[in-house]
């Protein structure tokens, strides 16, 4: 089916305006399909003209335009043609729709814990027509009135306050004007915790089987929600405009969360079944603040077309970290931003798919999907921090408020936002916008003696001024910090010449700007013995990010990073740094950049480091000690080779007390046993029988796929290729384990078949789901020239969807980085 083009959207928006949407859904027709009746009131600026609405139905029963029947067969390729429009029009469509199992449209999932079914709507990016007929583009907003028939035992939630009209019949209050992709309905036997703050009714909801965990964790989420509301009201001077505020933790969700006004959906892994480290709690809290920011940036004011998605995501990213830093009660949120989000963004900048923050070409809706990446999120947020440094926070806040008020319940674009900020700042931002928002690429900053150098990427030249600082540390204490504006290729750093020899000197030490830091050889040499002693967590994060980025660039030997890891990581205090750096070591540095013959020895060194951290945690009291113990145990469970210890841990014997009863941790231990080839079918079946949850079912799929046997790989491949009922999460769980094997010969026969497999999945799943499977299913870990040849052949295919192609481009680039590093350092 064709994706709506920008040209078509412009033409349609110039022709019609939507006055109201009425949607009546019948979710009580069994597990496969549901009923959908839609009434659209719209006007036409050129009476007599033709247009189309978007509709991808299982079956269309009846269509009426202004009282005249329209042949249902006129729906072609997901479009219902409308001819001879009047000045005011009423379109009625009666359809049967199909539930999805890929996390898009109206997704239906069965909880294996109790057999209960749950339904939720995720209409981003172009899935609304699979639920109701609509003009599916972000600038044709309308008030929505939704009614739902559902099993009597179900609770129905949505964008408006729910009123139970009769058993099984719910009406949702008319929502203020929404883009079609923000509409949602969440229905099922939810367990709920309700509250109220500042006159706003609040609700936290999850599957019934998660009730104990939800009730234990709900108050913390309500507290974050309340504090975030207060701060956004203070900053924007505009009250939350969408009535009630529900946060629903739903199963098999593709993204982290979705900002549906009044009814935000989250992946329900954020309701922790076991131990949660401080960085995990922070990430959930930050996601709550992020989605709430969208109530203003995205929902109240929506981008006119997908090429301005930064007006949604960059702002929500920045605002969430700003708010959690100000009122969230968390330590060092911007450290987490650096080591988690900026690492992601810098990797996206290095890839051939890099793009500007704003105005990225999006000729059609699906092509925009790939631009929801680390550039739109992490770089965009960093650019906003630089904008504030450039014009001042007061001007920024005033300009943002003016932009929101002047475009409320409508749409905006880059030029309109820049005009509002220029008005508040009293200065032109044309050059600033061109350099920071409209040019791709990250500058690199480094030191040559007491001079800071700035190098723009050759492929994307720009003159970007950076507000940053440079700090120097000796023996675990800070001896210098210089704040400066870098507006040329070489900038003297006053006082740096007086810093003692052997000091660790860190450009961009507070991580204020968007620029990769290039470390000199002397600094890299000093990291193993000194990195952990730096008292500034931001500076430590900057050094880790630089070091890991330099490995990907092929500039630093991965063995050097391993040496830094085993000396510095066990002494680290930041949970975010501990978590992210260890994950990259075990998932990227060791398997991709080290030669196969050195990988097991490297994993053993990582496991020893985990034991060192575990031993250290015993001397730290309270929550901090527990967090260190959890982080250490998780790393050892991914890398340890002691089968007896692994089996004891799987039985709950000898593990840190905080992990007793933690089913997710037990599955990670079982996965390691399976990876080592010492876990039998009966043991997997017994573990699955003991954990009948959705998480347990998915973990078991991954454990089966990861086993290093021909039979296990054949099973996994067959499920991915042939199982039409495979859900998005099940496919991802299997794909995530497939390419693990000590003997590459076991995997090579599949490499050339990956393209056909992915195209087959694209026929069954939407791009949002398949693109995530691509990242796991690309044979990147088989770092060989033959793999690159096969990857190049995949990219040469003409039958790839935009989302699959973009994910393949990024995976291909990661493979090229690994190959280049091995050629240099092997």
């Amino acid at each position: 089916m064709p994706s709506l083009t920008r040209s078509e959207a412009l033409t349609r928006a110039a022709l019609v305006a939507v006055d109201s949407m009425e949607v009546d859904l019948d979710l009580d027709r069994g597990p496969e399909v549901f009923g959908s009746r839609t009434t659209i009131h719209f006007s036409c600026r050129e009476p007599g003209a033709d247009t189309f609405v978007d509709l991808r139905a299982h079956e269309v029963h009846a269509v009426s335009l202004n009282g005249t029947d329209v042949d249902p067969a006129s729906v072609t390729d997901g479009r219902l043609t409308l001819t001879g429009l009047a000045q005011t029009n009423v379109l009625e469509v009666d359809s049967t729709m199909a539930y999805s199992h890929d996390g898009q449209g109206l997704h239906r999932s069965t909880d294996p814990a109790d057999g209960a079914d749950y339904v939720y709507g995720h209409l981003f990016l172009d899935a609304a027509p699979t639920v109701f007929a609509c003009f599916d583009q972000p600038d044709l907003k309308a008030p929505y009135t939704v009614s739902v028939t559902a099993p009597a035992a179900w609770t129905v939630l949505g964008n408006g306050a729910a009123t139970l009209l009769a058993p099984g019949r719910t009406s949702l209050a008319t929502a203020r004007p929404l883009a079609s992709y923000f509409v949602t309905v969440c229905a099922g036997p939810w367990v709920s915790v309700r509250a109220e703050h500042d006159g706003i009714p609040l609700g936290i909801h999850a599957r019934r089987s998660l009730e104990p965990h939800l009730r234990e964790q709900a108050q913390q989420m309500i507290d974050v929600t309340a504090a975030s509301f207060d701060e956004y009201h203070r900053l924007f001077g505009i009250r939350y405009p969408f009535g009630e505020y529900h946060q629903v933790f739903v199963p098999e969700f593709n993204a982290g969360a979705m900002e549906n006004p009044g009814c935000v959906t989250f992946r329900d892994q954020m309701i922790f079944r076991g131990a949660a480290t401080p960085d995990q709690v922070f990430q959930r809290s930050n996601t709550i603040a992020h989605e709430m920011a969208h109530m203003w940036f995205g929902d109240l004011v929506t981008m006119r077309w997908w090429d301005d998605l930064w007006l949604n995501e960059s702002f929500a990213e920045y605002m969430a970290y700003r708010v959690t830093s100000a009122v969230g009660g968390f330590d060092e949120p911007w450290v987490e931003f650096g080591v988690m989000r900026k690492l992601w963004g810098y990797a996206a900048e290095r890839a051939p798919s890099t793009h500007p923050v704003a105005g990225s070409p999006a000729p059609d809706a699906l092509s925009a999907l790939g631009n929801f990446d680390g550039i739109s999120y992490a770089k965009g947020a960093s650019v906003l921090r630089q904008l504030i440094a450039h014009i001042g926070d007061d001007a920024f806040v005033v300009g943002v408020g003016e932009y929101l008020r002047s475009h409320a319940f409508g749409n905006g674009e880059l030029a309109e936002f820049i005009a509002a900020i220029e008005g508040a700042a009293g200065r032109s931002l044309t050059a600033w916008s061109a350099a920071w928002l409209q040019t791709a690429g990250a500058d690199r900053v480094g030191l040559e003696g007491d001079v800071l150098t700035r190098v723009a990427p050759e492929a994307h030249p720009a003159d970007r001024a950076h507000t940053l600082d440079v700090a120097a540390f000796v023996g675990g204490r800070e001896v210098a910090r210089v704040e400066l504006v870098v507006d040329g290729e070489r900038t003297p750093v006053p006082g740096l010449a007086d810093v003692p020899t052997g000091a660790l000197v860190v450009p961009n030490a507070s991580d204020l700007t968007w620029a990769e830091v290039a470390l000199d050889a002397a600094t890299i040499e000093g990291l193993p013995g000194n990195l952990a002693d730096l008292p500034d967590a931001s500076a430590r994060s900057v050094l880790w990010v630089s070091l890991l980025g330099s490995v990907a660039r092929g500039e630093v030997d991965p063995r050097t990073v391993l040496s830094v890891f085993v000396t510095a990581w066990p002494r680290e205090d930041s949970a975010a740094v501990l978590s992210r750096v260890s994950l990259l070591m075990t998932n990227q540095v060791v398997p991709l950049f080290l030669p196969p013959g050195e990988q097991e020895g490297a994993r053993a060194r990582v496991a020893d480091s985990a034991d060192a951290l575990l031993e250290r945690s015993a001397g730290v009291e309270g929550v901090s000690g527990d967090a260190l113990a959890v982080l250490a145990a998780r790393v050892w469970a991914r890398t340890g080779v002691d089968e007896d210890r692994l089996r004891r841990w799987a039985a709950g014997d000898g593990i840190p007390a905080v992990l007793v009863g933690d089913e997710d941790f037990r599955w990670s231990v079982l996965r390691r046993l399976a990876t080592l080839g010492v876990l039998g079918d009966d043991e997997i079946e017994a573990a699955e029988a003991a954990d009948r949850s959705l998480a347990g079912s998915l973990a078991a799929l991954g454990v089966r796929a990861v086993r290093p046997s021909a039979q296990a790989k054949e099973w996994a491949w067959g499920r991915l290729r042939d199982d039409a009922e495979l859900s998005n999460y099940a496919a991802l769980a299997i794909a995530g384990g497939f390419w693990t094997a000590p003997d590459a010969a076991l995997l090579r026969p599949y490499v050339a078949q990956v393209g056909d497999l992915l195209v087959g999945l694209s026929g069954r799943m939407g791009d949002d789901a398949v693109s995530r499977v691509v990242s796991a299913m690309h044979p990147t870990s088989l770092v060989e020239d033959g793999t690159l040849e096969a990857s190049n052949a995949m990219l040469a295919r003409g039958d790839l969807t935009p989302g699959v192609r973009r994910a393949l481009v990024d995976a291909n680039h990661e493979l090229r980085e690994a190959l280049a590093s091995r050629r240099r350092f092997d």
Side-chain angles (χ1 to χ4, degrees), residues 374-412:
I375 295 171
S376 299
Y377 286 77
K379 181 179 181 179
S382 299
V383 167
L384 290 176
R385 294 184 84 186
Q386 283 295 294
L387 175 60
I388 291 167
H390 188 58
I391 65 171
D393 191 61
D394 290 345
F396 175 76
V397 170
V398 169
V400 164
E402 173 56 29
Y403 171 75
L404 292 173
R405 281 185 288 273
S406 62
H407 293 79
F409 299 108
N411 300 84

Side-chain angles (χ1 to χ4, degrees), residues 88-111:
T88 60
N89 302 272
V90 180
L91 176 69
E92 298 175 279
V93 179
D94 182 8
S95 303
T96 295
M97 304 294 203
Y99 288 114
S100 83
H101 302 288
D102 65 356
Q104 296 175 241
L106 204 59
H107 180 97
R108 185 164 181 141
S109 176
T110 300
D111 187 346

Side-chain angles (χ1 to χ4, degrees), residues 142-278:
Y144 276 78
T145 303
V146 178
S147 301
V148 180
T149 299
W154 285 13
T155 298
V156 175
L157 304 160
N159 303 102
T163 299
L164 187 64
L165 303 176
R169 184 66 177 164
T170 300
S171 174
L172 301 174
T174 300
R176 304 290 290 272
L178 306 177
S180 52
Y181 77 97
F182 289 138
V183 178
T184 194
V185 166
C186 300
W190 307 109
V191 60
S192 304
V193 175
R194 297 178 184 267
E196 183 174 308
H197 177 73
D198 193 19
I200 304 169
L202 308 176
I204 310 282
H205 314 270
R207 287 180 286 129
R208 189 169 57 198
S209 62
L210 293 173
E211 180 171 5
H213 311 296
L214 176 71
R215 296 203 180 279
E216 180 183 6
Q217 299 166 43
Q219 189 59 54
Q220 188 272 337
M221 291 185 277
I222 290 170
D223 291 344
V224 170
T225 301
S228 298
F229 265 129
D230 290 345
E231 186 67 0
Y232 287 134
H233 287 159
R234 185 189 70 81
L235 284 171
F236 304 146
I238 303 170
R239 280 190 60 80
Y240 167 68
F242 295 108
E244 297 185 357
Y245 195 73
H246 297 280
Q247 298 175 95
V248 191
F249 292 82
V250 300
E252 299 178 329
F253 197 70
N254 283 325
M258 179 64 196
E259 65 268 23
N260 313 302
C263 190
V264 180
T265 44
F266 299 78
R267 59 169 53 210
D268 63 9
Q269 292 98 319
M270 291 186 186
I271 303 296
F272 308 119
R273 298 200 309 159
T277 55

